[in-house]
Amino acid sequence: MTHFANETHEYLQAWRGPWPDLLVLDTSVWHLFSDKNVSNYERQMLALRHSCTRRPLKVPPWVVLAWVSPPPRNTLKAPQYKDLPAEWIRLYNLVARNQGFLQSTGRAHHLDLYAIALDCLPWCSRDGLHVVDTVNEVALQVLAAAAARRGLAAAAAGTIGPRRDPVRTAPPARAAGATATADDSGVLDVVVVGAGISGLTTAQALAMQHAAAAPRILVTESRDRVGGNVTTDSNDKEGLLWEEGPNSFQPNDFILQAAVDAGVADELVLGDPKAPRFVYWDKELRPTPSGPDVLTFNLMSPLGKIRAGLGAMGFKAPLPEQEESVEQYVRRNLGAEVFERLIEPFCSGVYAGDPKKLSMKAAFGKVYDLEKKGGSIIGGVLKLIQEKRGQPTPTRNPALPPKPQGQTVGSFRRGLKTLPDAMAAKLGGAVRTSWDLKAIAKEGDVYKLTYDTPQGCKELRSRAVALTIPAYVAADLLEGAAPSAAAGLKSLDYPPVGAITLAYPESAIRPDRLDAQGNLPGFGQLHPRSQGITTLGTIYSSSLFPNRVPKGQVLLLNYFGGAQNRKVAEMSDDELVAQVDKDLRQMLLRPDAPAPRKVAVRVWPRAIPQFNIGHLETVGGAQEALRQAGWDGVLLGGNYVAGVALGKCIEYGYTFAGQVAEQLKKTAAKA
Ligand SMILES: Cc1cc2nc3c(=O)[nH]c(=O)nc-3n(C[C@H](O)[C@H](O)[C@H](O)COP(=O)(O)OP(=O)(O)OC[C@H]3O[C@@H](n4cnc5c(N)ncnc54)[C@H](O)[C@@H]3O)c2cc1C
C-alpha cells in the first residue's frame, strides 16, 4: 500500500519541470473499492494524501496540488458501476468522513469527483464530456481560490499582490494556509475589525474574490479566539459537545459556499428536515405546522386558521403609512392567534426580542415585502412566482454540496466553530487575535488604527477599515469623527441572553415525548411569554445532530432572558439552572426526573442587536454620517447591518467584501 504513496511521491520528486500551476493527481483506485475491501481503498486514499504532503517535497510551494477521489459513477469508463449499490455509497461517505480525506490540507486540495459526478448525473450517462467540463471548472475554481489565497499569504508575508514572477523562480514566502505572522508594516489595503462570522467571511471573500483590489488585508480580533458569538465547546473524554452561542443555521447557498471556500464542506451535518418544532401552549407542547398538516395541527383553533387564511389572501386592513411593529403587522395580516402562538415565540427564538418593538420591515423584511408587492401575503408570493418564471434559473456553483431538502438546519460535525476556525486557518498570519482596537484616526487618505495587544500598543495604517464589531463598540470608536453616526449606533439595543446547557438521562423525559424507538424527536420548543414559562426556548441538541452526548442521555440547550427579561444578567449560574430545570419539569421532564448535569452556563451581557422600529434609518443614517465626515473608507458591517442569523451575516459578508473592494477602487482611481 505504501508502495503506491512512494510511487506518487517519487514521481513528484523526479518531475523535470516546467511546473504547472495545478497538478491533479488522479489515482483511479475506485476499482479497489467494494464492500469487501473498503480498508484497502481507504489505505490507498490516505497514502495518496500523504504522498501529496510528505516532506521533503520538491514541488515548489506555488504549485497547487489537487488529488481526486475517483468518480464512482462514470458509467462510460466503468459500466460495471452503473447501479452502484447504496451500501457502497454509504461506505464511501463513511470512509471519506472518518478519515477526513475529503478535506483539503494546507498543501494539497481535494477535488471531490464523487460529488461532482452526482451533481451532473443526468448528463454523465449521455456524454462523459459534461463531467470533464465540470471537473475542469471546479479545478479552475480550486486554482483561482488557491491563487487568491497565495496572493493573500504573499501579501501577508510582505510580498504584495498575487505571484508576479511568471517564470516562477521566486516563489512567495508562504504557501496557502500558512500561519506565520503577517507583515503589518506600511499601509495595508483593508483592516477587517472583528473576527466573528461576519468579519471572517468578509476577509475570506476579499482574499478569494477581490485579491486584485485588496491584496494586503489583516483581520484583528480583541478576544483570544475567533468566531465571536459562535462558541462551541466540548469535553471529549465525556463525549460532550455543545454550543454556547448560536446552535445551528439555515443552510443557504452562501453558508455552503463559505464552507466550501474554507475547505470544511465535508464536515457539514444537517438536521432531520422532518423534525418537528413545538410551541408550549395551554399546558401542552404542540407541533408547529410543517406543510401537509396545515389544516389539522392543533396549535391554533379552526377559527384562528380561517382568520389567518383570509388575512393572507387580502381580507385585512391595508398597510399603514407608519412603520409597523412585528406585532402590529402580524395581528393585522394574520390575526391574534398566529401572532400569539407562532410569531411571538418565534421572535424570542430569533431575536430574544420584544415583538411590540421589533420592526416588521427591518426584522422580517422578506415577508414585509410580500404585502407591498402583491397587496397581501399570498398575492406577494404569487407575484414572486410569476416574476421568477420569466427569469432564467440561476446556475448553481457545482462545487457546492447538494441543496439541503426541506426545512432543515445545519452545523458541522464538531460544532459551529469549525467554520470560523477553518476560515481563520486559511487566512493564516493575516488574523491577529487579542488585538483590541482602541482608536481610529484619519491621516490624509489613510486610517490609523491604535490597538492594545499583548505586546503593548500597536498601530496599523490602512486605506480602508471594515468594522464588523458590535454597534456599541463602533460607536465609541467613531464618536470623535462622526458624532451623529456614533449616537445612532449607540442607540441600538443589545439585551442580555443566557445559554444554559443541561444533560439528563433519557429516562428523565416524559414517555409521551419519546418516539417508538425511545428517542426524543424534534428540533426543540419555544415558550410564548404568556404561558408562565421563564425560559425562552429549548433546543434538543442531542436529537438535532449526532455525537453531542453519550448514549442514554439527552442534551438540552436553553435560552433565557432577552429584551423582555433583562434580569438574566444579574442571576447566578445556579439560579439559572434551577429556573430552567423548573420550567422543563412543567413541559418535558417526568416529575421524578433526577437533577440535571450542568454542562455549561454562559450569559451574553449584550447578545443580539434588536431590529426595532427605526432600525434601518438609524443604520443608514450612521453610514451617511460617516460619508459626510469624509470617512468613506470606514465601512460598517456585522450583524446589526446584515441581519442577525448566521446565514444573513455570511451572505452580507460576501456583499460587504464587494463594497470594500469598490471603495478601494474608487480611492485608487482618485489617487
Ligand atoms: C446566544 C445567541 C444565540 C444565537 N443563536 C443563533 C442561532 O441559533 N442561529 C443563528 O443563525 N444565529 C444565532 N445567533 C446570532 C448570531 O450568532 C450572530 O448574529 C452572529 O454570530 C454575529 O456575528 P458577527 O460577526 O456579526 O458579530 P460577533 O460574533 O459579535 O463578532 C464581532 C467580533 O468583534 C470583536 N470585537 C469587539 N470589539 C472589538 C475591538 N475593539 N477590536 C477588535 N475586535 C473587536 C468581538 O470580540 C467579536 O469576535 C445567536 C446569537 C446569540 C448571542
Side-chain angles (χ1 to χ4, degrees):
M1 301 312 115
T2 43
H3 166 70
F4 180 80
N6 280 337
E7 234 177 41
T8 307
H9 194 255
E10 278 158 20
Y11 183 70
L12 292 175
Q13 295 297 75
W15 187 278
R16 298 272 170 271
W19 287 101
D21 287 300
L22 174 67
L23 202 61
V24 179
L25 304 160
D26 180 3
T27 57
S28 295
V29 290
W30 182 247
H31 62 281
L32 293 178
F33 190 81
S34 77
D35 49 355
K36 296 212 179 57
N37 57 12
V38 174
S39 56
N40 188 3
Y41 176 74
E42 188 171 345
R43 275 199 299 274
Q44 291 286 3
M45 290 306 289
L46 283 171
L48 172 65
R49 187 175 63 170
H50 179 57
S51 72
C52 292
T53 48
R54 222 171 90 200
R55 282 170 203 282
L57 188 64
K58 204 183 108 185
V59 185
W62 44 261
V63 173
V64 179
L65 283 171
W67 48 281
V68 301
S69 58
R73 297 199 186 201
N74 189 340
T75 51
L76 286 186
K77 251 175 137 181
Q80 69 270 35
Y81 302 135
K82 192 159 174 282
D83 296 310
L84 203 67
E87 179 60 9
W88 283 29
I89 296 176
R90 197 186 65 77
L91 286 170
Y92 171 90
N93 283 328
L94 197 77
V95 170
R97 291 233 148 74
N98 283 350
Q99 297 300 339
F101 71 59
L102 292 185
Q103 241 173 16
S104 298
T105 66
R107 183 72 175 89
H109 303 264
H110 177 250
L111 293 182
D112 184 5
L113 297 195
Y114 172 77
I116 296 165
L118 274 187
D119 226 35
C120 54
L121 207 57
W123 297 276
C124 172
S125 46
R126 258 189 286 127
D127 67 76
L129 289 178
H130 187 85
V131 179
V132 173
D133 278 355
T134 318
V135 170
N136 283 342
E137 199 181 299
V138 175
L140 278 175
Q141 280 168 15
V142 169
L143 186 61
R149 278 195 297 275
R150 195 171 54 219
L152 171 72
T159 55
I160 298 177
R163 180 161 52 83
R164 284 173 286 179
D165 175 12
V167 285
R168 300 161 194 138
T169 50
R174 310 267 170 237
T179 52
T181 311
D183 174 11
D184 52 36
S185 61
V187 177
L188 294 154
D189 290 303
V190 191
V191 174
V192 177
V193 187
I197 202 68
S198 297
L200 289 169
T201 309
T202 307
Q204 177 166 282
L206 279 166
M208 296 182 80
Q209 298 176 0
H210 306 283
R216 293 194 69 204
I217 70 171
L218 208 65
V219 183
T220 60
E221 165 57 48
S222 59
R223 289 193 176 108
D224 61 358
R225 60 163 183 89
V226 299
N229 289 163
V230 175
T231 313
T232 312
D233 206 346
S234 62
N235 178 340
D236 291 340
K237 225 164 76 197
E238 302 205 21
L240 289 163
L241 190 141
W242 67 93
E243 302 287 353
E244 297 185 0
N247 59 80
S248 59
F249 50 74
Q250 285 185 339
N252 64 24
D253 273 359
F254 294 97
I255 295 199
L256 300 182
Q257 183 66 57
V260 168
D261 289 348
V264 288
D266 300 305
E267 294 288 302
L268 278 163
V269 286
L270 296 174
D272 174 3
K274 295 203 190 80
R277 285 126 166 106
F278 300 97
V279 168
Y280 186 67
W281 188 262
D282 201 11
K283 305 210 174 340
E284 207 184 304
L285 284 169
R286 299 162 192 258
T288 59
S290 59
D293 60 348
V294 73
L295 293 176
T296 55
F297 76 104
N298 74 353
L299 176 59
M300 283 171 58
S301 71
L303 270 180
K305 290 177 196 173
I306 291 169
R307 164 65 183 91
L310 290 173
M313 284 192 286
F315 297 96
K316 42 93 195 163
L319 184 69
E321 285 279 307
Q322 78 280 11
E323 189 174 355
E324 278 184 306
S325 69
V326 171
E327 175 165 1
Q328 286 166 330
Y329 178 95
V330 178
R331 281 190 188 276
R332 181 173 58 78
N333 271 283
L334 300 169
E337 284 196 17
V338 172
F339 172 70
E340 286 157 12
R341 304 179 192 195
L342 279 165
I343 304 304
E344 191 261 8
F346 184 67
C347 288
S348 299
V350 178
Y351 286 93
D354 179 351
K356 277 193 170 46
K357 295 185 181 161
L358 284 171
S359 150
M360 188 67 196
K361 183 170 73 168
F364 301 106
K366 274 193 183 155
V367 181
Y368 170 82
D369 286 345
L370 290 176
E371 191 189 4
K372 279 200 95 174
K373 197 183 252 309
S376 67
I377 293 178
I378 290 183
V381 172
L382 293 176
K383 243 207 164 141
L384 259 188
I385 295 173
Q386 236 173 23
E387 282 171 11
K388 277 200 179 147
R389 242 188 235 139
Q391 292 161 2
T393 325
T395 45
R396 197 164 177 267
N397 179 354
L400 295 188
K403 246 191 190 326
Q405 298 302 305
Q407 272 206 337
T408 188
V409 292
S411 179
F412 295 88
R413 204 171 53 82
R414 297 290 302 162
L416 288 173
K417 86 182 183 78
T418 302
L419 184 58
D421 283 357
M423 288 169 152
K426 287 244 157 166
L427 290 161
V431 180
R432 301 295 171 79
T433 48
S434 303
W435 276 46
D436 190 7
L437 180 60
K438 292 293 185 196
I440 314 178
K442 194 159 184 240
E443 293 178 341
D445 286 342
V446 167
Y447 298 92
K448 183 179 86 176
L449 296 98
T450 307
Y451 286 90
D452 198 1
T453 81
Q455 292 78 40
C457 174
K458 293 267 180 191
E459 282 180 359
L460 295 177
R461 284 176 171 73
S462 181
R463 294 168 58 215
V465 181
L467 293 179
T468 65
I469 48 186
Y472 52 87
V473 183
D476 288 345
L477 292 164
L478 299 172
E479 190 109 55
S484 74
L489 294 176
K490 206 166 261 176
S491 72
L492 301 186
D493 181 24
Y494 283 69
V497 173
I500 298 116
T501 302
L502 305 178
Y504 291 90
E506 254 166 21
S507 56
I509 305 293
R510 288 186 189 179
D512 61 318
R513 305 309 315 160
L514 300 174
D515 64 15
Q517 286 73 43
N519 301 316
L520 171 67
F523 173 90
Q525 55 188 58
L526 287 168
H527 317 134
R529 299 300 75 215
S530 56
Q531 299 301 295
I533 301 289
T534 314
T535 307
L536 293 172
T538 300
I539 305 292
Y540 304 164
S541 302
S542 47
S543 306
L544 204 51
F545 303 120
N547 304 323
R548 302 281 157 127
V549 75
K551 220 175 152 22
Q553 293 182 42
V554 291
L555 193 68
L556 304 174
L557 164 56
N558 304 276
Y559 291 118
F560 199 99
Q564 301 188 74
N565 177 12
R566 293 172 197 256
K567 266 200 338 251
V568 60
E570 294 143 33
M571 290 171 77
S572 70
D573 288 8
D574 287 348
E575 284 169 337
L576 286 168
V577 170
Q579 183 60 53
V580 169
D581 180 63
K582 186 173 159 215
D583 287 343
L584 290 174
R585 275 167 208 277
Q586 288 193 53
M587 301 175 285
L588 189 67
L589 300 175
R590 299 164 71 116
D592 59 348
R597 170 174 176 187
K598 178 173 94 181
V599 176
V601 177
R602 177 183 285 255
V603 176
W604 299 85
R606 297 178 95 172
I608 300 176
Q610 299 298 296
F611 281 40
N612 286 342
I613 289 183
H615 181 85
L616 297 181
E617 289 68 24
T618 304
V619 173
Q623 287 165 326
E624 185 50 35
L626 274 172
R627 280 191 288 272
Q628 295 290 333
W631 279 42
D632 34 13
V634 174
L635 294 108
L636 302 179
N639 61 357
Y640 68 92
V641 183
V644 300
L646 289 169
K648 291 269 182 199
C649 294
I650 290 179
E651 178 175 354
Y652 192 73
Y654 285 96
T655 310
F656 194 40
Q659 289 172 1
V660 174
E662 276 312 306
Q663 177 59 31
L664 284 170
K665 283 184 209 157
K666 251 195 252 165
T667 48
K670 257 201 242 163

